[in-house]
Amino acid sequence: MTRRFVARWTGRITRLGFLIAVALLAGRAEISAQTPSASLPGADPALLEDIAVGSRILADFGVLDGFGHVSARSPTNPNHFLMSRSLAPALVTPDDIMEFDLDGNPVDARGRKVFLERFIHAEIYRARPDVMSVVHTHSAGVIPFSVSKVPLRAMYHNPAFLARGVPVWDIRKDFGDTNMLVSNAAIGKSLATALGDKAVVLMRGHGDVAVGPSVKAAVFRAYYTDVDAKLQAQALALGGEPNYLTPGEGEKADKTNLVVIDRIWNLWRMKVLPTLAK
Ligand code: MN
């Protein structure tokens, strides 16, 4: 009798705990995915969340450190783009996202500090109508390829977009001795010209820029560019000429990657979403 009573109540408490856990999880997802942004009224909450998730996951992977940024072209005004106020990528929330024009001017700064290197984004959006997202990193993996004569090549299917070719942009060529930063529109334009129609451009002694048709794609490319660079350095250390992907293989694999990108994005989103919930 007593044992049956205890068993019945244990079962009820377990079920109640489960329901509370489900409700909490659902509430948490709701908070970060659905709440309209206080700083950008009318903006798509899912896009603002993508920028915050992308910034945080790239920081988790060590591709972004205290610097670097993720942006998106505005879906409602192609001559504007969205990026965080000046903030370490690991700390970006949807409420930190601001809107800029293609001259790098904030639409409504309200006293917030902006990134010095926003001209990277502005000039690439101006030059490349197909680009919907830009990621700038100081990825440790790519630095050796930015300063040596060995071209970065596609090692395997995830970084297939590299098989189109990876230009290296040298700020010194047009601007002499600088502080190495893309701090005005002229320098941004020079970088955008070097990127050309490619997915990634390396910046000599600085880092790289990855672009894509969505925030998910640009973040994916920034991450796998870093992974590829580290693997290529390993393959070169083994000796002999590595057997890289051909441009044809790269084009086909890149198409497939973009189709299945939600699988990895949802995993990354799940990892960083708890850090976004208030
Ligand atoms: Mn930089």
Side-chain angles (χ1 to χ4, degrees):
M1 183 73 172
T2 310
R3 202 177 295 156
R4 205 180 303 150
F5 177 81
V6 169
R8 194 191 307 150
W9 276 98
T10 306
R12 279 180 187 173
I13 288 164
T14 308
R15 276 197 298 278
L16 184 66
F18 176 74
L19 287 174
I20 289 171
V22 167
L24 284 174
L25 281 173
R28 175 173 280 185
E30 182 102 353
I31 285 166
S32 48
Q34 302 300 331
T35 308
S37 166
S39 58
L40 265 187
D44 176 8
L47 182 62
L48 301 183
E49 189 202 82
D50 282 353
I51 295 172
V53 167
S55 302
R56 282 170 184 245
I57 200 71
L58 289 175
D60 268 16
F61 287 138
V63 176
L64 295 177
D65 50 14
F67 307 104
H69 8 84
V70 176
S71 74
R73 190 190 294 275
S74 165
T76 50
N77 181 350
N79 292 320
H80 281 188
F81 65 98
L82 312 177
M83 76 188 294
S84 167
R85 68 187 171 94
S86 180
L87 196 63
L91 304 177
V92 171
T93 71
D95 281 347
D96 296 309
I97 313 294
M98 301 171 61
E99 186 168 347
F100 296 85
D101 66 23
L102 294 188
D103 293 323
N105 300 311
V107 171
D108 181 16
R110 279 184 274 135
R112 289 170 292 181
K113 276 186 71 182
V114 298
F115 287 119
L116 183 68
E117 292 197 296
R118 60 195 182 282
F119 303 100
I120 294 172
H121 304 256
E123 293 304 323
I124 289 175
Y125 289 123
R126 196 196 303 277
R128 286 279 299 272
D130 60 305
V131 166
M132 293 305 284
S133 178
V134 175
V135 176
H136 167 52
T137 89
H138 303 159
S139 143
V142 305
I143 299 297
F145 291 92
S146 84
V147 299
S148 82
K149 291 204 163 27
V150 180
L152 186 64
R153 305 273 303 267
M155 297 289 300
Y156 70 119
H157 63 309
N158 281 347
F161 50 89
L162 298 176
R164 277 187 237 168
V166 186
V168 179
W169 172 73
D170 186 351
I171 190 171
R172 195 172 19 191
K173 188 165 164 269
D174 289 341
F175 303 97
D177 285 355
T178 62
N179 63 359
M180 305 299 290
L181 303 180
V182 183
S183 53
N184 64 47
I187 303 177
K189 192 172 179 217
S190 165
L191 173 63
T193 304
L195 170 68
D197 62 354
K198 305 296 191 289
V200 173
V201 59
L202 304 190
M203 305 160 77
R204 194 266 308 165
H206 184 160
D208 68 359
V209 177
V211 303
S214 66
V215 172
K216 295 172 187 180
V219 168
F220 179 94
R221 288 172 174 179
Y223 172 61
Y224 280 109
T225 298
D226 183 64
V227 174
D228 187 276
K230 289 170 178 162
L231 294 177
Q232 187 177 341
Q234 286 179 30
L236 290 168
L238 291 175
E241 176 71 3
N243 191 355
Y244 301 109
L245 263 66
T246 64
E249 286 172 333
E251 194 183 335
K252 287 180 178 172
D254 187 41
K255 272 190 192 143
T256 308
N257 291 340
L258 293 176
V259 171
V260 299
I261 202 164
D262 272 336
R263 193 186 315 166
I264 195 155
W265 185 263
N266 290 338
L267 173 71
W268 290 346
R269 180 178 182 268
M270 189 188 74
K271 283 184 181 172
V272 299
L273 213 50
T275 68
L276 267 178
K278 294 179 182 116

